[in-house]
Amino acid sequence: MSAALPREILICTIARLLDGVRHVAVGASSPMPAAGAMLRRALDDGQRPVRLSILGSVEHNFFTNGSAELFDSAGQGRLDAFFLGGGQIDGQANVNLVGVGDYPQVKVRWPGSFGSAYLYFTVPRVILFREEHSPRVLVDKVDFISAPGASAPGVYRTGGPVALLTGKALFRFDKARPGFTLESVHPGHDLDEIRAATGFAFDHAETPAATPAPDTATLSLLRGRVLDELAETYPAFAAEWRSDLAALTREGSPA
């Protein structure tokens, strides 16, 4: 079987971050988190049930009333994991979904915070996911806090960030500091590149670990069952993935 594509390494990393969950929800327009959740379910099949609620999906969504049920589940402690992105994310895991500049006179306006703060406070395993890894996204301090990564002592909070996954690396979040530690670097990248592309300070080993590639069995599951399931909700993403796999096969074929 051919080597893993960069997106497949990200999806498999997401599945590892979801190890042990009972119920994971994925917001709209999130094909890679959705694929990671589907892979987690496939890996756990026959051992323990994993419930998926993928907003926008007909086949893979238990909710019938959209975000209202999502918020109810989170508030009742029935949701183990969720994904958040952001136009800006800083070194204390604060997320900005509002815009760039001094609020309310922002220079660039984004869709808004919606329920991000509520889910950040109630879901115990929030994974920050942003494929772009650059100083404009990973900033020293966000321009507006849509959802705070950590809370002051005495603030009741059952949820919060556990990791930040980008197209270059995986970071773990320590809420006691608070701050990020570089856990692994994806294939094709190195520590110097991560430093240059990250606008906040982070802890790291002298020689960071490499993000592991999926084994043959996991890759087969990912390119079979998971890709087929994902096509129902994200047909364009699935078609692009299949096209990349076909190109990879052609490149690996003998002349």
Side-chain angles (χ1 to χ4, degrees), residues 88-153:
Q88 292 178 331
I89 300 169
D90 69 22
Q92 295 194 334
N94 297 315
V95 174
N96 177 9
L97 291 159
V98 169
V100 176
D102 294 330
Y103 183 84
Q105 305 301 323
V106 292
K107 295 177 290 186
V108 177
R109 187 70 165 89
W110 295 320
S113 304
F114 194 48
S116 57
Y118 177 81
L119 293 171
Y120 223 14
F121 269 73
T122 56
V123 180
R125 197 182 308 190
V126 177
I127 298 166
L128 299 173
F129 177 75
R130 184 67 195 264
E131 193 171 4
E132 180 182 341
H133 188 141
S134 71
R136 78 165 190 165
V137 173
L138 304 183
V139 298
D140 181 54
K141 184 178 180 181
V142 296
D143 291 345
F144 182 92
I145 299 178
S146 297
S151 298

Side-chain angles (χ1 to χ4, degrees), residues 55-107:
L55 299 186
S57 173
V58 175
E59 184 70 24
H60 309 287
N61 191 0
F62 286 89
F63 299 144
T64 58
N65 193 24
S67 56
E69 288 178 276
L70 170 65
F71 297 148
D72 284 347
S73 292
Q76 294 163 10
R78 295 188 290 114
L79 184 58
D80 298 319
F82 189 70
F83 299 86
L84 275 183
Q88 292 178 331
I89 300 169
D90 69 22
Q92 295 194 334
N94 297 315
V95 174
N96 177 9
L97 291 159
V98 169
V100 176
D102 294 330
Y103 183 84
Q105 305 301 323
V106 292
K107 295 177 290 186

